[in-house]
């Protein structure tokens, strides 16, 4: 194995698993089913004291995350002829920072995933099938380890608090609507959905990898 190819294998083992974790987590936060599952499972919507349903909250949250631009996040409750806003300025700021972080991680994940696929395609054309198969499976194993590790870490309150303080840093009262809706046990829904998606992506890549590296037989 040439030194340049060895370095590419190391890069593949590092960046492809990271991209899978980043993209799966990002995608899960952008689909309403994640929030609907959480709201139905935890019944936290009832604690907000609003007539807005869990489905409406879920659509508003994902609609905000998926919509380009800098529009402010808000959900309104019908009150006769008036529409009362549910979220306060601090909560709006939290969602704005969360959207910015999600946008950055999405682009980072896409770039890393694209780079990983490009490296794989290059190696598939230059390396022997045996070496490529071994290193590709090693990459998938690292992916599974990272999926499990991220789930375990995010399951810890101290880790979630550290990440929130580091990247959001806006303190919300425990009685705020956003805190009620998206605090624990929301992480359980996120971990379940993102892990399933990440494993699915890994399984698809593994299937393609085995097909690509299969030894061709003269007689079959």
């Amino acid at each position: 194995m040439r030194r340049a190819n060895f370095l590419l294998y190391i890069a593949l083992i590092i960046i492809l698993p990271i991209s899978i974790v980043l993209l799966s987590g990002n995608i899960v936060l952008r689909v309403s089913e994640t929030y609907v599952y959480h709201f139905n499972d935890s019944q936290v919507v009832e604690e907000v004291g609003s007539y807005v349903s869990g489905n409406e909250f879920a659509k508003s949250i994902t609609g905000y995350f998926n919509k380009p631009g800098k529009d402010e996040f808000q959900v309104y409750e019908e009150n006769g002829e008036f529409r009362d806003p549910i979220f306060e300025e601090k909560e709006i700021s939290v969602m704005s920072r969360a959207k910015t972080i999600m946008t950055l991680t999405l682009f980072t994940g896409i770039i890393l995933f694209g780079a990983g696929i490009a490296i794989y395609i290059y190696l598939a054309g230059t390396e022997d099938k045996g070496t490529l198969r071994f290193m590709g499976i090693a990459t998938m194993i690292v992916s599974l380890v990272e999926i499990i590790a991220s789930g375990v870490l995010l399951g810890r309150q101290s880790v979630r608090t550290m990440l929130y303080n580091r990247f959001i840093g806006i303190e919300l009262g425990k009685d705020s609507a956003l805190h009620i809706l998206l605090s624990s046990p929301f992480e359980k829904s996120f971990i379940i959905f993102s892990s399933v998606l990440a494993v699915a992506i890994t399984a698809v890549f593994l299937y393609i990898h085995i097909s690509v590296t299969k030894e061709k037989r003269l007689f079959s």
Side-chain angles (χ1 to χ4, degrees):
M1 184 191 303
R2 292 183 299 174
R3 178 179 175 81
N5 284 2
F6 175 76
L7 294 176
L8 287 176
Y9 276 123
I10 297 301
L12 182 68
I13 291 175
I14 294 174
I15 67 177
L16 197 58
I18 292 175
S19 70
I20 291 174
V21 171
L22 286 178
L23 288 176
S24 59
N26 210 290
I27 292 170
V28 161
L29 290 175
R30 293 176 183 272
V31 295
S32 59
E33 286 76 10
T34 305
Y35 302 91
V36 171
Y37 177 86
H38 164 62
F39 294 149
N40 291 339
D41 183 60
S42 63
Q43 300 295 309
V44 292
V45 173
E46 298 178 2
E47 300 177 25
V48 175
S50 167
Y51 291 110
V52 178
S53 67
N55 285 337
E56 291 175 296
F57 275 123
K59 290 179 180 178
S60 296
I61 292 169
T62 54
Y64 173 72
F65 284 148
N66 293 326
K67 184 179 180 180
K70 297 183 179 181
D71 293 346
E72 288 189 346
F73 172 73
Q74 188 56 269
V75 178
Y76 294 93
E77 181 178 28
E78 300 293 336
N79 182 15
E81 299 179 355
F82 303 97
R83 299 173 71 230
D84 297 332
I86 292 177
F87 298 102
E88 301 177 351
E89 286 300 320
K90 279 189 175 182
E91 296 167 306
I92 294 172
S93 297
V94 167
M95 292 296 283
S96 177
R97 294 191 183 185
K99 182 176 181 178
T100 299
I101 293 168
M102 286 175 59
T103 301
L104 291 174
T105 55
L106 176 62
F107 281 116
T108 301
I110 291 173
I111 291 171
L112 291 178
F113 190 77
I117 296 302
I119 291 172
Y120 181 85
I121 292 173
Y122 170 79
L123 291 172
T126 60
E127 279 288 347
D128 64 275
K129 300 294 184 181
T131 302
L132 182 64
R133 170 171 284 212
F134 175 80
M135 298 303 287
I137 291 175
T139 301
M140 296 302 98
I141 292 174
V142 172
S143 296
L144 292 175
V145 170
E146 288 193 10
I147 293 167
I148 294 171
S150 62
V152 172
L153 289 173
L154 290 176
R156 297 175 63 87
Q157 177 65 49
S158 58
V159 173
R160 296 197 305 275
T161 299
M162 181 271 292
L163 292 174
Y164 181 87
N165 291 336
R166 174 66 179 83
F167 295 104
I168 304 294
I170 299 174
E171 185 174 353
L172 295 177
K174 291 185 178 181
D175 58 345
S176 71
L178 192 63
H179 183 273
I180 293 172
L181 290 172
L182 298 182
S183 62
S184 187
F186 176 68
E187 76 281 353
K188 295 180 181 178
S189 300
F190 173 79
I191 291 170
I192 292 171
F193 279 73
S194 61
S195 296
V196 169
L197 179 57
V199 169
I201 295 173
T202 303
V204 170
F205 184 87
L206 181 60
Y207 174 80
I208 295 173
H209 172 66
I210 291 175
S211 299
V212 169
T213 58
K214 182 184 297 184
E215 294 289 347
K216 294 182 179 180
R217 298 180 180 179
L218 183 62
F219 302 101
S220 59

